[in-house]
Amino acid sequence: MPKLITGVGCPYCGSSCDDLEVLVSDDETKVLEVHNSCIIGSNLFHHANDPTRPRLPRQRQPDGSIKEIPYEEAIDYFAKTLLAAKKPLIYGFGSTNCEGMSAIGRIAEKAGAVLDNCATICHGPSFLAMFDNGYPSCTLGEAKNRADVVVFWGCNPMHAHPRHTSRYSIFPRGYFTGKGQMQRTVISVDPRETDTAKLADVHLMLDQGHDYELFDAFRTVLRGHDIPDKVAGIDKETIIKSVDIMKKARFCMIFFGMGCTHTDGRNHNIDAAISMTRDLNDHTKCSIMAMRGHYNIAGPGQVWSWQFGFPYCIDLSKGTHAHMNPGETSSIDLAMRDEVDCFVNVGADAGAHFPIQAVQHLKKHPFIVVDPNFNMASEIADLHIPVRIAGVDEPGVVYRMDNVPIQFKAVLKGLPGVPSDEELFDRVYERMCEITLTQPIWLAAKENRKYPHNTNPMVS
Amino acid sequence: MSKVIMNMITQRSIEEGAAMEKGKTNPDYFDACSICEINPEDMKKLGIWKNTNVRVTSECGSVIVKAIEPTQFCPPGLAHIRQGVWANQVVPPRTQSTGTPQYSGFPVTIEPAINEKLKTALELVQGSVGLWKGGK
Ligand code: SF4
C-alpha cells in the first residue's frame, strides 16, 4: 500500500512550506504524488526518483575521464586536499540541513578555511545593512494575521516564492485580517510589471537601479518635507499616495529582494529601507523582511553565528579566531583576486550561478563538489561526492526566511551507501584528525551521535 | 540590423525554478534560461523578429541567447535574462566590495546573431574552463 506522509517540508525556496503531503510507494523508495506544493516543489520531489542519481563519488582522472571511486577514497582525498591547501574556500549551504552546516564548521576550523554561504551572492548586502542599522522584523505569522498593507520592494514572489502570497502575505485570512486579500492593500515596487505587480493595488514602476532615491523620497515625505515632481521615474503624487497608504496602515509589512541587493548601492538600498521602516514606526507598526532564497539559507547564518559569531564570509585561516569582512573575505572577491587554492562547493551550484570569470579562477585549483545531483559545478569538479537530499531522504532542521526553525522530514529511504552531508563531513573531520594526529575534540563533544560507527574515531 | 545598448537585469522565473529542479542538463532548463526578454520596441530598433538569436555582450563576456517578447512587461531599454548559466556568461563579477556581483543593472550591447547557434549549459560552463569534449 502506498503511504501518504503529511506535514512534509519543501526543500526549495525560503517559504519553506511545511504543509506538503507526499504519497510514497510501499517500500518508501519512490515518490508517487506530491500534494499542496507549487510546481517547483513537485518537480524537486519527483526528481528524487531519477534512477540515474549518482550513488558513488566520481573522480576526474588525469586524462579527463570520470571514474567512480569508493567513499573511503573520496573522504581521504577530501581530507588531504583541504589540509594541503593554504587557504581553501568552502562555499554553498543554501540547500542542506543545519546538522550539515554545523559539521562543516568543524572541518573549516580544522582546515583554516574561509567558510561562506550563498548569502554572499544573495542577501549578503542585507546582512551588511542589518549590522549598520538593525533589523525591525517579525515572523510570517504576524504578517498573515495582522498586515493590512503589504509592500513588495524589488521582489517577485509569484515566481521566486510561489506560495508566499497564498500562505503568508496576500491571500490568507488571518486572525485580524479575516477578509484576506480584500482587507490588504498591496504595493509593488519593480521596474518590470511582474506577475506580483499585477496583483498589486499600486505598482511603482521605477527606473531600474534608482531604489535608493525612491527610499529617500519616501522618507522625505514621511518627515513632512517637499520632494521634486518626479523621483526615480515616479510622480510626486504617486509617492505621496503610497506613503499615505503605508502611514495609515494598521500593520505595514515590507518584503524586499534581489531588486535591492543585486543592484547599484547593494547594502545601502537596504539601509534606506530599514531606516524607512523605523520612520514608519513613528506613525504605525511596520516590519521589514528579507525574501531569503533557499529553504535553509537562513540556517548557515544562524548556525555559524552560534559557532563563530559571524553569519558568512568567515575567514578561519588565523586558526585561533575568526574574521569577517565581505569585500575581502567573500567567495567572489577571493576568487577574482586568486586568493584561494582549493574550492569546495556544498549544496549549491557555483558552476551555474557564479559569474563565469569567478568560476574560471576557482577552477585553477582542486575543485570538490558535494551534492545529491549532477549540476554544473559537479560537471567541472575534480571530485563529486553524492549525498542524501535534505528534506527528501534525510531529515533535519531548517530555518525559514523569518528565522523560524522547522523540523523537516525524510519521505524516502536514502540510497544505500549514500551518506548525509553531516555523516560525510564527520568522516572527513575524523580523517583530518587521523592525518594530523590530533584528537577529534568536536566529535567527542557531540552528544547523541547519530552515526554509531563514528563512536570511536581514533580506530578505523 | 543594428546594435543597441541596453540595461540588463537577471532575475528569477517560475519556469527557470521548475526546470532547474528537473536538472540543469534537462532540455527544460535550456528552454527556460537561454532567452533574453526584450520589449518589441527594442526589437524594432534591432531590426529583428521575436524568437531570433541575438548576441549579448557586456564588459566581461558575451553570449548567444534567443530574443523573446517579455513574459512579464519589460519597459523599452531594459533587457532581462533569467538567472542561470547563460546570464552568468555576461554578469560582471564586480562587487562594490560587498561580495555580491552586479547581477542586475549593467550595460550590455545587443546585436542580431540570426545565424549563430545557442550553446548548451554544459558546453558553456565546461567550455569556459577547458573541459568541453563535445563538438563545436
Ligand atoms: S513556495 Fe517554495 S517552499 Fe513552498 S512549495 Fe513552492 S518551492 Fe516549495
Side-chain angles (χ1 to χ4, degrees):
Chain A
M1 268 287 284
K3 208 164 84 185
L4 187 71
I5 307 173
T6 58
V8 175
C10 168
Y12 183 74
C13 84
S15 304
S16 313
C17 301
D18 53 356
D19 60 344
L20 269 51
E21 296 177 352
V22 181
L23 190 70
V24 296
S25 61
D26 46 4
D27 60 354
E28 292 169 49
T29 60
K30 282 255 167 319
V31 170
L32 304 176
E33 285 175 14
V34 183
H35 306 157
N36 298 347
S37 80
C38 70
I39 177 155
I40 307 179
S42 165
N43 282 359
L44 189 153
F45 276 99
H46 283 109
H47 187 54
N49 289 343
D50 186 348
T52 64
R53 255 174 74 186
R55 289 156 191 259
L56 275 175
R58 299 154 59 241
Q59 191 170 35
R60 192 174 298 279
Q61 304 300 307
D63 68 352
S65 64
I66 305 272
K67 197 180 118 197
E68 290 195 337
I69 59 170
Y71 272 95
E72 283 312 314
E73 232 174 89
I75 288 164
D76 186 61
Y77 174 89
F78 197 155
K80 285 183 179 150
T81 311
L82 274 180
L83 287 170
K86 285 207 185 75
K87 196 167 185 179
L89 167 63
I90 306 178
Y91 162 85
F93 306 94
S95 304
T96 175
N97 57 22
C98 290
E99 291 84 343
M101 292 160 187
S102 143
I104 199 85
R106 300 187 272 273
I107 293 184
E109 197 180 347
K110 191 96 203 146
V114 179
L115 190 54
D116 202 4
N117 62 64
C118 308
T120 195
I121 58 163
C122 187
H123 269 292
S126 313
F127 272 118
L128 293 177
M130 288 170 205
F131 298 156
D132 285 344
N133 217 356
Y135 191 42
S137 195
C138 62
T139 61
L140 287 166
E142 275 175 277
K144 171 187 165 182
N145 287 318
R146 295 171 194 273
D148 59 342
V149 171
V150 182
V151 182
F152 295 107
W153 198 305
C155 57
N156 186 8
M158 291 312 283
H159 283 259
H161 301 80
R163 295 179 71 220
H164 188 277
T165 54
S166 57
R167 270 173 68 87
Y168 314 111
S169 49
I170 302 185
F171 303 107
R173 294 163 186 266
Y175 193 84
F176 300 110
T177 49
K179 294 199 185 80
Q181 183 194 13
M182 303 293 290
Q183 209 176 328
R184 297 189 223 260
T185 309
V186 177
I187 300 176
S188 162
V189 184
D190 204 301
R192 291 184 298 153
E193 194 190 10
T194 59
D195 289 328
T196 306
K198 284 177 199 147
L199 282 174
D201 301 280
V202 186
H203 175 205
L204 289 89
M205 200 157 134
L206 82 170
D207 297 337
Q208 194 280 331
H210 291 256
D211 302 74
Y212 192 90
E213 283 148 73
L214 195 57
F215 280 123
D216 248 7
F218 270 58
R219 293 187 67 201
T220 308
V221 171
L222 261 174
R223 289 169 174 240
H225 301 288
D226 197 23
I227 55 169
D229 290 340
K230 230 180 182 61
V231 179
I234 308 292
D235 300 336
K236 184 176 178 174
E237 297 79 69
T238 316
I239 295 175
I240 292 173
K241 186 179 92 184
S242 309
V243 171
D244 203 49
I245 293 172
M246 288 160 81
K247 232 165 104 174
K248 293 209 176 100
R250 290 198 299 169
F251 187 108
C252 178
M253 187 70 220
I254 302 166
F255 295 103
F256 65 94
M258 301 297 104
C260 298
T261 65
H262 276 175
T263 62
D264 286 337
R266 310 283 199 283
N267 52 317
H268 297 300
N269 297 326
I270 321 300
D271 267 0
I274 293 170
S275 296
M276 180 179 78
T277 309
R278 291 192 171 174
D279 288 351
L280 273 160
N281 274 298
D282 286 345
H283 304 276
T284 176
K285 291 195 184 67
C286 182
S287 223
I288 189 163
M289 192 184 298
M291 294 287 267
R292 303 305 302 273
H294 295 284
Y295 67 102
N296 194 20
I297 190 53
Q302 296 288 331
V303 173
W304 298 345
S305 292
W306 307 326
Q307 287 181 326
F308 304 111
F310 301 112
Y312 74 119
C313 295
I314 307 164
D315 185 343
L316 299 165
S317 59
K318 290 193 181 75
T320 47
H321 54 282
H323 165 74
M324 173 205 182
N325 183 20
E328 180 199 345
T329 59
S330 72
S331 299
I332 299 288
D333 288 298
L334 287 170
M336 292 311 293
R337 287 196 306 260
D338 258 330
E339 280 181 22
V340 285
D341 56 354
C342 168
F343 181 63
V344 180
N345 176 99
V346 183
D349 189 356
H353 295 294
F354 275 2
I356 197 70
Q357 288 174 327
V359 180
Q360 288 167 333
H361 279 292
L362 292 170
K363 188 51 197 155
K364 294 176 192 164
H365 309 285
F367 197 110
I368 300 173
V369 171
V370 177
D371 200 281
N373 296 305
F374 300 110
N375 58 27
M376 289 302 128
S378 79
E379 294 316 288
I380 58 171
D382 298 306
L383 176 66
H384 172 208
I385 310 179
V387 283
R388 281 188 229 140
I389 311 172
V392 178
D393 50 23
E394 173 70 13
V397 174
V398 313
Y399 278 79
R400 200 168 65 184
M401 64 165 69
D402 51 353
N403 293 315
V404 168
I406 301 173
Q407 175 72 50
F408 271 25
K409 294 178 178 176
V411 297
L412 294 183
K413 275 197 200 131
L415 297 177
V418 176
S420 67
D421 293 85
E422 183 189 20
E423 186 182 4
L424 175 75
F425 296 147
D426 278 354
R427 284 162 69 182
V428 172
Y429 175 71
E430 278 180 59
R431 186 72 194 116
M432 290 170 82
C433 292
E434 275 172 19
I435 295 168
T436 53
L437 301 174
T438 45
Q439 284 290 328
I441 42 169
W442 283 118
L443 289 191
K446 254 179 104 182
E447 290 168 28
N448 303 323
R449 304 271 304 279
K450 244 204 252 168
Y451 306 102
H453 74 262
N454 280 350
T455 40
N456 195 352
M458 295 312 280
V459 182
S460 71
Chain B
M1 290 209 268
S2 54
K3 287 183 182 185
V4 296
I5 292 176
M6 293 182 78
N7 183 18
M8 175 65 73
I9 57 172
T10 72
Q11 295 292 338
R12 302 298 315 268
S13 87
I14 191 150
E15 295 85 357
E16 172 256 334
M20 194 165 65
E21 286 311 325
K22 286 189 176 173
K24 293 224 171 71
T25 47
N26 189 289
D28 282 17
Y29 184 69
F30 178 85
D31 292 342
C33 295
S34 62
I35 53 175
C36 179
E37 303 193 5
I38 300 179
N39 188 289
E41 237 178 71
D42 293 316
M43 288 201 196
K44 241 185 235 163
K45 278 191 207 156
L46 276 164
I48 58 164
W49 299 105
K50 58 183 176 188
N51 300 329
T52 48
N53 291 352
V54 291
R55 178 190 297 279
V56 177
T57 308
S58 75
E59 67 206 52
C60 66
S62 119
V63 66
I64 306 289
V65 282
K66 187 167 80 178
I68 64 161
E69 259 185 54
T71 52
Q72 299 173 78
F73 177 78
C74 228
L78 192 68
H80 169 226
I81 303 182
R82 293 172 183 167
Q83 68 167 41
V85 171
W86 290 266
N88 286 319
Q89 300 295 312
V90 293
V91 166
R94 55 187 155 90
T95 71
Q96 299 183 335
S97 292
T98 62
T100 309
Q102 188 80 25
Y103 282 113
S104 280
F106 56 95
V108 291
T109 312
I110 302 187
E111 56 195 312
I114 293 163
N115 299 318
E116 302 269 355
K117 266 180 69 183
L118 299 170
K119 288 185 179 172
T120 64
L122 214 51
E123 181 174 358
L124 284 172
V125 178
Q126 288 193 330
S128 72
V129 295
L131 284 176
W132 177 244
K133 292 274 189 297
K136 261 265 153 200

